[in-house]
Amino acid sequence: MKKTKLGPKLIVIFLMIYLFMPFVITGVYSLTDNWSNTILPSTFTLKFYVELFSEGRFWMSILRSVFVSALSVAAAVLVMTPLVFAVCAFTPRLEAVMKMITLIPYAIPGVISAVALLRAYGGTDIPMVLVLAGAYFILVMPLVYSGVNNAMHAIDIVPITEAARVLGASTLTTFLRIIVPGVAPGILVSTLLSFSTLFGEFVVANMLIGGSYETVQIYLDLVMKQTGHLSSAVVIIYVLIMTLICALVMKLSGGKPKNVA
């Protein structure tokens, strides 16, 4: 058995230090009261975390971000999953058209989209939160499409669909009882990536709704103008929340498949 060379290990260690060092420094800074003229902080405190956990405004910003992100991702998954199934199983010639359509959000900057939405819906009675959710739906459409499409191609849905039809199963039954469980890991991964992207989005949310619907990123931007220690604590809590969500989704997507009798 060959031993692993020292060079690759050193490269991996260097990359890990390079990636996690900013997070570690930010965490230490959030635990200090004054760190400006010394290499290491002289005192440590938890008052910034106590202030955050006792402030309802911070938790409301997180709940708003979770709500609008989850609403947009759920809509994208519910729309794109049956649409991708219909294209892959019955009209594969339209796949090229679908790929082209889903690439459009990448070609339009968020600032341009936000300005266009403001001009179109700014003077109407439509709540801007719904407009933001619609904009988020478009933003995550490429991610959801790619994940679901790759998952469906991985299980080779055309023979599965044909076999189910031969056995008398309807298209709806085939989709709900065979296709959806088969592509569930791909849907979970797409959901994770989409939710993470929207939870950290700032430009579109700030331009469309700003302080009238304060998401966690807008809250962080306002706090950064007041104190760096408190904003560092917000960043640490934000990263921990995203880490927990990632761990939960990855655990769910890595479950063992059940045996089909």
Side-chain angles (χ1 to χ4, degrees):
M1 183 176 180
K2 295 182 179 181
K3 295 183 178 180
T4 305
K5 294 183 179 180
L6 183 61
K9 290 184 178 179
L10 292 177
I11 294 175
V12 172
I13 293 174
F14 173 78
L15 289 176
M16 295 295 290
I17 294 174
Y18 177 78
L19 291 173
F20 284 97
M21 185 59 68
F23 174 71
V24 173
I25 295 176
T26 303
V28 174
Y29 189 73
S30 67
L31 294 171
T32 63
D33 194 10
N34 185 14
W35 187 14
S36 57
N37 298 322
T38 58
I39 297 177
L40 296 176
S42 56
T43 59
F44 291 90
T45 179
L46 292 174
K47 69 177 184 178
F48 299 108
Y49 288 94
V50 174
E51 180 180 348
L52 279 179
F53 281 104
S54 60
E55 186 178 10
R57 179 183 167 195
F58 169 67
W59 292 111
M60 286 303 300
S61 67
I62 291 181
L63 291 177
R64 293 189 187 102
S65 295
V66 170
F67 170 74
V68 69
S69 301
L71 177 64
S72 304
V73 173
V77 171
L78 291 176
V79 171
M80 294 303 297
T81 303
L83 181 60
V84 173
F85 167 69
V87 171
C88 293
F90 305 111
T91 55
R93 293 182 179 180
L94 294 179
E95 265 195 82
V97 179
M98 285 292 300
K99 290 180 180 179
M100 183 179 64
I101 293 175
T102 55
L103 288 176
I104 292 177
Y106 286 135
I108 303 176
V111 176
I112 297 177
S113 300
V115 171
L117 290 171
L118 281 174
R119 293 292 299 272
Y121 300 103
T124 64
D125 296 330
I126 301 176
M128 293 306 295
V129 176
L130 295 181
V131 177
L132 177 63
Y136 278 178
F137 172 86
I138 300 299
L139 287 176
V140 299
M141 187 172 63
L143 294 174
V144 176
Y145 171 79
S146 299
V148 176
N149 185 62
N150 292 336
M152 289 194 179
H153 280 290
I155 65 173
D156 202 3
I157 66 169
V158 175
I160 293 176
T161 304
E162 292 177 352
R165 293 176 63 182
V166 169
L167 293 174
S170 64
T171 302
L172 181 61
T173 302
T174 303
F175 174 72
L176 294 178
R177 303 192 62 177
I178 300 176
I179 302 301
V180 171
V183 301
I187 293 176
L188 286 174
V189 172
S190 300
T191 301
L192 167 64
L193 294 175
S194 301
F195 185 85
S196 302
T197 301
L198 297 183
F199 194 79
E201 202 281 326
F202 171 74
V203 175
V204 177
N206 189 43
M207 292 188 67
L208 286 180
I209 53 180
S212 62
Y213 190 81
E214 196 175 68
T215 62
V216 66
Q217 293 298 325
I218 296 176
Y219 176 82
L220 175 59
D221 179 64
L222 296 176
V223 170
M224 286 178 63
K225 300 175 183 177
Q226 301 174 6
T227 169
H229 297 278
L230 188 61
S231 61
S232 298
V234 175
V235 170
I236 295 300
I237 295 176
Y238 165 77
V239 172
L240 291 177
I241 291 175
M242 295 308 303
T243 302
L244 290 175
I245 294 174
C246 292
L248 177 61
V249 175
M250 293 306 295
K251 182 178 180 180
L252 293 175
S253 63
K256 296 181 179 180
K258 297 180 180 180
N259 295 326
V260 180

